[in-house]
Structure formats: C-alpha cells, structure tokens
Amino acid sequence: SKNDLPFPLYKYEGELESTEESLLNLFEFGLANQIYGCMIESATSEQSARMTAMDGASKNASEMVEALTIKYNRARQAKITTELIEII
C-alpha cells in the first residue's frame, strides 16, 4: 500500500516539476557532470605528466651518479698509482 513506501506519495512537499523544468534540470546536471569530468581528467593528466617527468629525472640522476662515481674512482686510482710510483 502507499503507507508502506519509504517516502509515501501523499507526504511529498513542493510542487511537481513540469517536463520542461525536468529536462532543463537534467541538462544542467549533465553539463555540470561533464565539466566536473573534464576537471578530474585535467588533474589526472597533470599528475601523470609530473610522474613521468620525475621518473625521467630520477633515471638521469642515477646515470649521472654512476658516471661521477667512475670518474671519482679513476682519479683516486690515478692518485694511488702516482704515490706508489713515487715510493718505488
């Protein structure tokens, strides 16, 4: 029966919307959802671009550390060799 519904129809407050008002509200709701979706997609794209940039920077930094470590070790070995030659 009508009284068993969670929101009985006879207790509805306010005026019922016309079809035109309903369509206008539906259009506004759809437009708001599209705008919100664009904003979410934009934020997601920005985070993705930042992650990609940071990944590239991390890889470049690792390569630079490896290259500098090799240069440092070569210079250290050259110094040790020079000292040994001076001793001998």
Side-chain angles (χ1 to χ4, degrees), residues 4 33 41 54 57 66-67 76:
D4 296 338
N33 275 329
E41 186 175 342
M54 289 303 295
E66 287 178 20
R76 187 173 57 92

Side-chain angles (χ1 to χ4, degrees), residues 5-26:
L5 296 173
F7 301 104
L9 296 177
Y10 68 90
K11 289 187 177 181
Y12 183 78
E13 295 181 9
E15 297 178 18
L16 293 175
E17 295 178 336
S18 69
T19 304
E20 185 177 320
E21 286 176 317
S22 296
L23 288 176
L24 182 60
N25 286 338
L26 183 62

Side-chain angles (χ1 to χ4, degrees), residues 8-68:
L9 296 177
Y10 68 90
K11 289 187 177 181
Y12 183 78
E13 295 181 9
E15 297 178 18
L16 293 175
E17 295 178 336
S18 69
T19 304
E20 185 177 320
E21 286 176 317
S22 296
L23 288 176
L24 182 60
N25 286 338
L26 183 62
F27 173 75
E28 289 175 358
F29 181 73
L31 181 62
N33 275 329
Q34 283 184 334
I35 292 170
Y36 179 72
C38 289
M39 292 172 65
I40 294 295
E41 186 175 342
S42 173
T44 303
S45 296
E46 180 183 355
Q47 290 301 319
S48 176
R50 287 176 188 233
M51 286 176 57
T52 302
M54 289 303 295
D55 186 49
S58 295
K59 286 179 182 176
N60 289 340
S62 295
E63 291 173 5
M64 187 181 295
V65 166
E66 287 178 20
L68 291 174

